[in-house]
Amino acid sequence: MQTKASQCGFTAIEMVITLAISIGVIMLGTVCLDGYSEKMVLNNTTKEVKSTIEQAARISTIKHVASYIRYYPNSNMLTVTRAGHRKVVKIAPQIKIYKLSDLWISSSGSMSPRTIVIANRQEKRTIRLQMMWGRVIDNAA
């Protein structure tokens, strides 16, 4: 005959199974959140690099001074230099930028055409620079 006290609650096996399922659900959410976070950092960095280049082209056109954009991969910094001015943009450490070692923007706002690649561990984005008027196009790749 079983007493009422021995019939209440979970057994140790049921507790372990419930705990394992709960941890699994939490871990799945954490992994998905990390992937989403990395994607957002990549998208925001792409937008920031694009706007930095566009702004440098506009300022070069308005002030009639050339601008020079350089990416330093060791320190993950992007610098915009023009006469008497230097702007530094910090890039997240998990992001790498390719084909942006030296970019010269003329005093009329034009630049040589090129495709810049911004990547993290899993994905990449491209920014295409057109030849005239500092027009920048970004693509998901």
Side-chain angles (χ1 to χ4, degrees):
M1 181 172 164
Q2 293 184 346
T3 65
K4 199 171 203 174
S6 66
Q7 294 176 358
C8 292
F10 290 111
T11 65
I13 301 256
E14 291 171 330
M15 286 293 280
V16 168
I17 291 171
T18 304
L19 187 60
I21 291 171
S22 300
I23 289 173
V25 169
I26 291 170
M27 292 302 291
L28 180 64
T30 303
V31 169
C32 290
L33 186 61
D34 285 344
Y36 178 75
S37 175
E38 282 193 27
K39 186 180 278 193
M40 289 305 297
V41 168
L42 178 63
N43 289 339
N44 288 340
T45 302
T46 302
K47 289 176 185 176
E48 187 172 19
V49 170
K50 178 183 172 187
S51 68
T52 299
I53 294 170
E54 287 176 332
Q55 181 183 29
R58 280 193 299 274
I59 291 173
S60 291
T61 303
I62 292 168
K63 295 189 175 189
H64 300 291
V65 293
S67 294
Y68 186 70
I69 299 175
R70 183 171 177 102
Y71 171 63
Y72 298 94
N74 293 336
S75 58
N76 264 17
M77 289 179 14
L78 185 69
T79 61
V80 180
T81 309
R82 69 180 155 274
H85 179 76
R86 183 171 188 244
K87 177 183 176 182
V88 176
V89 177
K90 292 200 174 246
I91 305 297
Q94 68 268 30
I95 301 292
K96 298 297 176 202
I97 302 175
Y98 303 98
K99 301 178 185 173
L100 185 61
S101 57
D102 299 308
L103 175 63
W104 183 75
I105 302 173
S106 74
S107 60
S108 65
S110 64
M111 62 192 84
S112 61
R114 70 171 70 190
T115 300
I116 300 166
V117 178
I118 301 172
N120 64 10
R121 293 176 194 103
Q122 293 119 1
E123 296 183 58
K124 66 180 181 176
R125 301 284 183 267
T126 59
I127 299 174
R128 289 187 306 152
L129 302 179
Q130 290 186 344
M131 193 171 208
M132 298 297 292
W133 311 291
R135 184 153 181 233
V136 178
I137 303 168
D138 59 333
N139 301 331

